[in-house]
Each structure stands twice: as structure tokens, then as C-alpha cells.
Amino acid sequence: MRPAFAVGLVFAGCCSNVIFLELLARKHPGCGNIVTFAQFLFIAVEGFLFEADLGRKRPAIPIRYYAVMVTMFFTVSVVNNYALNLNIAMPLHMIFRSGSLIANMILGIIILKKRYSIFKYTSIALVSVGIFICTFMSAKQVTSQSSSSENDGFQAFLRWLLGKYSIGALTFALLMSARMGIFQETLYKQFGKHSKEALFYNHALPLPGFVFLASDIYDHAVLFNKSELYQVPFVGVTVPIMWFYLLMNVVTQYVCIRGVFILTTECASLTVTLVVTLRKFVSLIFSILYFQNPFTLWHWLGTLFVFIGTLMYTEVWNNIGTTKSQPQKDKKN
């Protein structure tokens, strides 16, 4: 029951979260730091009050392990931003991020000595290909105009040279992210399931790092204050609309990330990665439909691959067959 509840939280929270994130990004594309800070601060304060009991409750998992986990998470974020700063093409960046399923499976085989059925391998490949198609086509539509201004030969060579480093950085970030998921899985096996505690420490420990982003966060807070006023439904309070979008983004992100952390305590790392990847895919489709972005034949093909791959991974027909054969078993008994 808990895994089903967690999956519901992930999809409900994250798919609604993408609306408010896109509304924020469309108005102020560089507002990522203030959004991330608000999310971390909200989850950390909530955890400090209700999980850590104002700091009086000792963690079940030693802090040093959370420090390792946070370091991995911080490294992945920094390396991904580094790759973007090197002007790597956004489609390539999104495609690498969608390869997390493959990376997680490979590291699971190497580190945890896991073995999967041919259906599992095929399903992961289909889901990855489907997301590859959809993200590539969506990103291509967005970046087709901005990427048409390359002219100078030296600039092209420089972009190629930096692109080599970017691809290496993205590969490292992808593998590090998969390694972090496996690290979480082994921690929960060793110390037990503590999703609320993990959620708190993974968001509280990185907070001091936002000091280095204080100037950017302050600048965007000033911009948010200058946005048009909006009357919040049912409450009647009038606030700048960007602050309302940020509040809704933070609340929906909390619902989403709470579901993810419950899943990490209930399911294997590969299953968690599959759910999170499918969530990203559904969010992409939802964003396309909600904001009326083009949805081509390629998008439908990618959707079909993801749907078939998901059915293969869950082996839903085996469950149906078991359910159907059960009454016959009872008859014999």
C-alpha cells in the first residue's frame, strides 16, 4: 500500500509542480536559485519541527552517511550546471539525463551483483528510447532558432572542444546520480527505512551552500515583489503573483519529493528510478498539453514506447494471469 501511495504522491505532486515551475521560468528564466532555495528551506523547516523535534531527536542513520549522500547530490548538481555553462546543446543535456535508467541498471549489476530478466532489460531500453524521442523532439523545437547563429570556424572548434568536456561531465553526473540511488538503497538495508529523516537531512545539510547564491536570490526576490498583484482564491489575500507561483511550486515539490523518499525505503533503486523517469515523461507530456506546445507524431511514438516498456517492466500480464488462475486453484482445494 505504501509504494502505491508514494507513486500517487510523486505523480500528483510533480505533475502539478511542473505547471508552476514553467510559469515561474517563463517570466524569469534565471529564477532557479530562489526556487531551489525556497524548496530546500521549506522542507528543512518542516523536518526540523516535526521529524527532528527541534533538534532533540537523534538520527537513526549516522550524519556522516547523510553527508556523503548530500555531497553526491551537490556534485551532480554542480557538474550538470557546469555542462550547461559550457554551452552544450540542451537536447543532448536532456537526453543524457533521460539515460538514468540504463546507468542505474549497469551500476546495479556491477556493484550489487544484480541480475535481471530479458523482459526487464527490454523494458528499460524501450522506456529510455521513448523518453529520448520525446525530450529530443521537444528540446529541438525550443532550441532550433537559437542554435542557428553559429558562423565562425574558431567558435565552432571551441564549441566542439568544450563539448568534449561537457559530455564527460554529463556522463560523470549520470553515473554519480545512479550511484547515489544505490547508496541510499544499501543504507536503508543496513539501518532500516527512515524516509522522513532522510528527507530532512538531505535538504537541511546543503542550506549553508546557498550563502554563495545570496546575491542572485535577493535580486530575484526584488523582481518577484514587482510582479502584478494576484488575489489568492478562497483566502482573499492579495500578493505578487510570482510569490504565489513560488509558494505553490514549493508545496507541490514537497508532495513530490516526499513520495520519492518513501519509494526509496520501499522499493529497489531501479524501480525508484523508473518511477521518477516516468514522472519526468508524464510531466513533459502534461506541460506540452497544458501550455499547448506542439505534439508531433514523434511524441506519440515515444509515448507508445514508454507505455509498452512500463507494461513489460511491471509484468502486468503475469499478475493478470495469476489472478485468473487463482479461482481454479481454490476449486481444486
Side-chain angles (χ1 to χ4, degrees):
M1 185 63 186
R2 276 176 64 86
F5 174 69
V7 171
L9 289 180
V10 171
F11 278 88
C14 298
C15 291
S16 53
N17 174 264
V18 74
I19 296 175
F20 297 104
L21 182 61
E22 190 154 351
L23 287 170
L24 286 163
R26 283 191 170 200
K27 187 71 176 178
H28 296 291
C31 67
N33 289 329
I34 191 173
V35 172
T36 304
F37 172 69
Q39 291 172 353
F40 274 59
L41 182 63
F42 177 85
I43 294 172
V45 170
E46 190 272 344
F48 184 71
L49 294 175
F50 300 106
E51 175 58 28
D53 192 21
L54 301 176
R56 292 191 291 262
K57 181 182 175 183
R58 291 176 61 84
I61 300 175
I63 291 291
R64 65 179 182 275
Y65 292 111
Y66 285 123
V68 172
M69 201 184 303
V70 167
T71 301
M72 288 181 175
F73 174 74
F74 181 77
T75 303
V76 169
S77 301
V78 168
V79 171
N80 275 321
N81 290 334
Y82 167 78
L84 284 176
N85 289 340
L86 289 178
N87 294 321
I88 192 169
M90 184 57 73
L92 184 59
H93 189 268
M94 297 178 74
I95 289 162
F96 263 84
R97 297 290 293 272
S98 68
S100 56
L101 279 168
I102 301 294
N104 190 280
M105 178 174 276
I106 291 171
L107 289 189
I109 293 170
I110 295 172
I111 297 172
L112 301 179
K113 309 300 180 185
K114 289 188 174 183
R115 292 296 179 267
Y116 304 97
S117 66
I118 188 65
F119 271 77
K120 286 284 193 289
Y121 290 117
T122 307
S123 67
I124 296 302
L126 281 172
V127 171
S128 298
V129 170
I131 293 172
F132 170 94
I133 292 171
C134 285
T135 52
F136 179 79
M137 295 308 298
S138 297
K140 189 178 178 183
Q141 290 165 357
V142 174
T143 58
S144 57
Q145 292 183 344
S146 59
S147 62
S148 60
S149 59
E150 295 178 22
N151 41 28
D152 188 70
F154 175 75
Q155 287 182 348
F157 171 75
L158 187 61
R159 285 177 62 85
W160 174 83
L161 186 63
L162 293 176
K164 291 286 185 179
Y165 291 107
S166 299
I167 292 171
L170 286 174
T171 304
F172 173 80
L174 187 68
L175 294 174
M176 178 65 76
S177 180
R179 182 66 184 89
M180 183 173 65
I182 292 172
F183 180 71
Q184 284 178 303
E185 184 179 341
T186 55
L187 272 186
Y188 295 142
K189 284 181 180 177
Q190 183 179 352
F191 296 100
K193 301 171 181 178
H194 305 281
S195 62
K196 289 184 179 179
E197 179 184 290
L199 183 64
F200 166 62
Y201 283 104
N202 275 275
H203 287 80
L205 293 180
L207 280 178
F210 286 99
V211 170
F212 300 104
L213 306 172
S215 176
D216 181 72
I217 292 171
Y218 175 78
D219 290 343
H220 279 90
V222 172
L223 291 174
F224 280 20
N225 283 332
K226 294 178 180 177
S227 62
E228 62 182 282
L229 296 178
Y230 175 76
Q231 189 172 29
V232 182
F234 307 112
V235 181
V237 178
T238 302
V239 297
I241 194 167
M242 294 300 289
W243 286 115
F244 173 73
Y245 290 157
L246 181 62
L247 173 64
M248 296 305 298
N249 176 271
V250 167
V251 172
T252 53
Q253 176 67 11
Y254 173 76
V255 174
C256 171
I257 201 72
R258 175 74 182 276
V260 171
F261 272 79
I262 294 174
L263 272 181
T264 58
T265 63
E266 298 290 332
C267 305
S269 177
L270 183 63
T271 303
V272 176
T273 306
L274 176 70
V275 172
V276 172
T277 304
L278 286 175
R279 188 278 302 170
K280 292 176 183 176
F281 171 77
V282 173
S283 295
L284 173 66
I285 301 300
F286 191 74
S287 173
I288 289 170
L289 296 177
Y290 184 85
F291 290 99
Q292 298 181 341
N293 294 318
F295 196 80
T296 65
L297 184 63
W298 286 104
H299 288 99
W300 284 115
L301 180 63
T303 304
L304 181 64
F305 280 1
V306 171
F307 180 71
I308 294 172
T310 304
L311 287 180
M312 290 180 67
Y313 184 88
T314 55
E315 298 179 0
V316 69
W317 45 82
N318 287 352
N319 296 331
I320 293 171
T322 303
T323 307
K324 285 182 177 178
S325 63
Q326 193 64 41
Q328 296 176 358
K329 237 182 186 180
D330 295 339
K331 263 185 183 179
K332 288 181 183 177
N333 294 337

